[in-house]
């Protein structure tokens, strides 16, 4: 598939896909006319990359664990070095802190909305 189709199917800009390619996260074949051609498997791969980036992992770590992502959304790393494990543990701790913060913020917004709705409801009667 061409870059436009991959962009549409993953909701990822063409510019970002080219960046992923520059970083070695995905690889495009080149057609005789110079256009990029992507294998079907890159739909899941791009979604995995985006999920890992959204979780806070930097591209340098994603690049290291990508070969272990043979199945969609499954990470398998049999030859993990102590440094890699430490890095992943640190990233996991940071993700957990972000999740806690997002949960607090979500609960605060939900509480605010509930209060506003109750107030508006009492105004109507």
């Amino acid at each position: 598939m061409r870059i436009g189709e991959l962009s549409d199917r993953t909701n990822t800009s063409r510019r970002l896909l080219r960046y992923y390619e520059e970083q070695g996260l995905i690889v495009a074949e080149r057609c005789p006319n110079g256009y990029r051609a992507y294998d079907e498997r890159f739909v899941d791969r791009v979604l995995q990359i985006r999920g890992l980036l959204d979780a806070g992992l930097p591209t340098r770590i994603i690049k290291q664990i990508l070969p272990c992502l043979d199945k969609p959304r499954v990470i398998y790393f049999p030859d993990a070095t102590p440094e890699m494990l430490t890095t992943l543990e640190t990233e996991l701790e940071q993700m957990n802190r972000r999740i806690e913060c997002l949960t607090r913020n979500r609960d605060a917004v939900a509480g605010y909305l509930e209060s506003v709705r109750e107030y508006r409801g009492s105004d109507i009667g």
Side-chain angles (χ1 to χ4, degrees):
M1 82 186 80
R2 300 236 316 252
I3 194 168
E5 183 180 349
L6 183 60
S7 174
D8 291 342
R9 292 182 60 189
T10 60
N11 198 27
T12 304
S13 71
R14 294 173 189 205
R15 183 176 179 184
L16 199 48
L17 292 172
R18 286 189 289 272
Y19 172 75
Y20 293 167
E21 189 176 347
E22 288 172 12
Q23 297 300 306
L25 302 176
I26 61 175
V27 178
E29 293 182 24
R30 291 293 181 152
C31 298
N33 60 6
Y35 290 163
R36 290 172 170 85
Y38 296 94
D39 188 87
E40 180 71 25
R41 67 188 171 94
F42 285 112
V43 172
D44 255 340
R45 181 55 48 101
V46 169
L47 295 174
Q48 289 172 327
I49 292 167
R50 292 201 50 183
L52 292 168
L53 286 168
D54 288 346
L57 285 171
T59 55
R60 66 179 171 76
I61 293 175
I62 294 172
K63 185 175 180 178
Q64 290 176 336
I65 64 173
L66 271 179
C68 307
L69 298 174
D70 293 331
K71 295 181 181 176
R73 294 158 197 71
V74 175
I75 298 174
Y76 177 67
F77 199 74
D79 301 324
T81 64
E83 295 81 15
M84 175 57 75
L85 292 175
T86 299
T87 299
L88 290 174
E89 287 169 352
T90 300
E91 292 295 333
L92 180 60
E93 289 169 11
Q94 291 174 354
M95 284 182 216
N96 284 330
R97 284 194 296 273
R98 283 192 298 273
I99 289 168
E100 290 169 7
C101 180
L102 286 170
T103 300
R104 282 192 310 272
N105 290 340
R106 180 204 59 207
D107 293 348
V109 169
Y112 176 79
L113 281 171
E114 183 179 339
S115 295
V116 168
R117 288 180 179 137
E118 286 176 7
Y119 175 77
R120 285 183 151 190
S122 67
D123 261 0
I124 296 172

